[in-house]
Amino acid sequence: MNLLVAVAADLIAISLLVFAVYYRRHFRRDLVLAYLALNVGIMAVTALLLDSGAGIGLGMGLFGILSIIRLRSDAITQEEVAYYFVALAMGLINGLHPGPIWLTPAISLGLVLVMFAADHPNFAARTRRHTVTLDRAYSHEPALKAALQGLLGADILHVVVLELDTVRDVTVVDVRFRIHAASAPSAGSRNDSRARDWAVSR
């Protein structure tokens, strides 16, 4: 009975996570299939290993091995990596189905709620991160921040210099900034902008 409840809880939780949260915000059909297959496969393998007497240690070893596997077929964002690990964790938890019968459904629901809140479009809605290429070598951070502020028309929060080429007179930076409320785009365009970096020249 505990396993049946865990299987039902996992299928409901991964469906909510993938279709109600992830796809409505990121719109990648290929990763929907990847998350579903990963979650269900991990749950099935873990449940079989547990029933065979392999124990939780082997299940955790499986988690460790799979956690270093990246989705290499295409570039994915850090948000999508987070969904990858949550789908993996839910499959493992429900496959092990430890403790009382209500524990795994509660943990699964908790993971879905955490992802719903953490990836909500209204969370840090005006904060952005871009890779910016400037056609001047800035060796002083105050001058660099002033140039970025004028270029982006936003408040510069943090700057990481990725490349400083004084021969070609180029600076490449990873910049995090907060746009002004009047110029904040809609939720749909925010989802599009999070899936790519912009290269801006001045």
Side-chain angles (χ1 to χ4, degrees), residues 1-12 43 94 97 100-106 108:
M1 181 61 68
N2 200 349
L3 177 59
L4 292 177
V5 171
V7 170
D10 183 74
L11 294 177
I12 294 172
M43 180 185 61
N94 286 285
H97 53 279
I101 196 170
W102 54 266
L103 183 60
T104 51
S108 300

Side-chain angles (χ1 to χ4, degrees), residues 184-198:
S186 63
S189 60
R190 285 199 302 271
N191 287 332
D192 292 338
S193 66
R194 288 190 303 181
R196 64 181 183 274
D197 287 334
W198 288 355

Side-chain angles (χ1 to χ4, degrees), residues 16-93:
L16 288 174
L17 181 71
V18 170
F19 296 109
V21 181
Y22 172 76
Y23 186 75
R24 291 171 61 89
R25 296 175 180 176
H26 299 274
F27 305 103
R28 285 195 59 172
R29 183 180 180 275
D30 56 334
L31 287 183
V32 167
L33 176 61
Y35 294 147
L36 288 172
L38 175 72
N39 173 267
V40 174
I42 287 294
M43 180 185 61
V45 171
T46 305
L48 289 175
L49 289 175
L50 191 64
D51 288 341
S52 67
I56 296 178
L58 185 56
M60 295 304 297
L62 179 65
F63 178 84
I65 292 172
L66 291 173
S67 66
I68 64 175
I69 298 176
R70 298 183 60 186
L71 304 177
R72 298 180 181 274
S73 59
D74 197 1
I76 60 175
T77 65
Q78 293 302 311
E79 292 94 336
E80 290 163 342
V81 171
Y83 282 96
Y84 169 81
F85 280 107
V86 170
L88 175 62
M90 282 200 304
L92 181 61
I93 291 169

